[in-house]
Amino acid sequence: MQDENSVLPPFAKQDLIIDAEPEDERVWVPQAPNIWFRPLLLNTTAGAWFNLLRVRRSGVLTRHRHPAPVYGYVIKGHWHYLEHDFVASPGKFLFEPPGETHTLVVDSDDEMITLFNVNGAMIYVDENGTTIGYEDVFTKIQMCMKHYHEVGLGSDYVEQFIR
Ligand code: FE
């Protein structure tokens, strides 16, 4: 609820200002072997999310297709997509247009951390392009709830990231 001195218009959401890289390791949510994500903003009305993706040692993020744009900024480490020639390195900005389909690979022992803004969904596909699964802002929220419950932060810990 906003107080009467607020300059916010009615129904405006609360702003969100947090340390992107958390002190508490438990805030990182396991995604796959050697891969974690740290939710920053889980936007349930835009159907989008911002997270840090972290890979330690060698990790592979299963091939997936993006039906909506993705924006990225590499903070730490190096990685590449099996389907492309470039190597993502610290300071690189990425725009991935709709239709982009790729498999993210880290093959050094360096830790990599990249900020991603994913819109819509990630559609996981097999080698023939057949859909095998998906993620959207709601499955991300459910993953967070389950993990934060298991590590003792409480499933409602995720609520601070939701707008
Ligand atoms: Fe992707």
Side-chain angles (χ1 to χ4, degrees):
M1 248 351 243
Q2 61 194 70
D3 63 61
E4 59 191 24
N5 297 318
S6 174
V7 295
L8 287 179
F11 304 109
K13 301 282 189 188
Q14 273 255 291
D15 58 2
L16 194 167
I17 303 166
I18 50 177
D19 290 322
E21 294 187 48
E23 298 271 321
D24 189 339
E25 175 61 27
R26 296 176 299 171
V27 177
W28 290 95
V29 180
Q31 171 80 46
N34 298 334
I35 305 179
W36 297 259
F37 72 95
R38 185 276 197 258
L40 295 167
L41 170 63
L42 300 163
N43 188 330
T44 59
T45 51
W49 66 99
F50 282 76
N51 64 193
L52 296 183
L53 186 72
R54 183 180 76 184
V55 183
R56 284 180 171 163
R57 303 221 184 86
S58 303
V60 176
L61 190 59
T62 310
R63 190 171 197 214
H64 57 274
R65 172 177 173 142
H66 292 283
V70 176
Y71 307 90
Y73 180 74
V74 184
I75 295 168
K76 191 178 179 190
H78 296 79
W79 54 268
H80 67 279
Y81 290 129
L82 287 184
E83 297 80 0
H84 296 297
D85 288 333
F86 73 85
V87 174
S89 56
K92 295 284 189 200
F93 169 77
L94 297 100
F95 166 57
E96 302 175 354
E100 173 60 26
T101 303
H102 50 225
T103 313
L104 191 156
V105 177
V106 176
D107 47 23
S108 75
D109 281 347
D110 289 355
E111 176 178 272
M112 93 77 162
I113 296 178
T114 299
L115 171 72
F116 280 113
N117 165 214
V118 183
N119 294 275
M122 293 170 65
I123 301 170
Y124 289 95
V125 294
D126 67 14
E127 61 277 9
N128 303 314
T130 304
T131 301
I132 54 173
Y134 74 95
E135 288 192 281
D136 63 12
V137 69
F138 302 105
T139 66
K140 294 312 259 190
I141 289 171
Q142 283 176 303
M143 286 174 77
C144 292
M145 290 175 70
K146 182 170 182 291
H147 171 71
Y148 293 147
H149 170 71
E150 286 169 0
V151 297
L153 290 169
S155 62
D156 60 358
Y157 187 82
V158 72
E159 287 177 16
Q160 64 192 295
F161 311 124
I162 298 175
R163 292 293 186 275

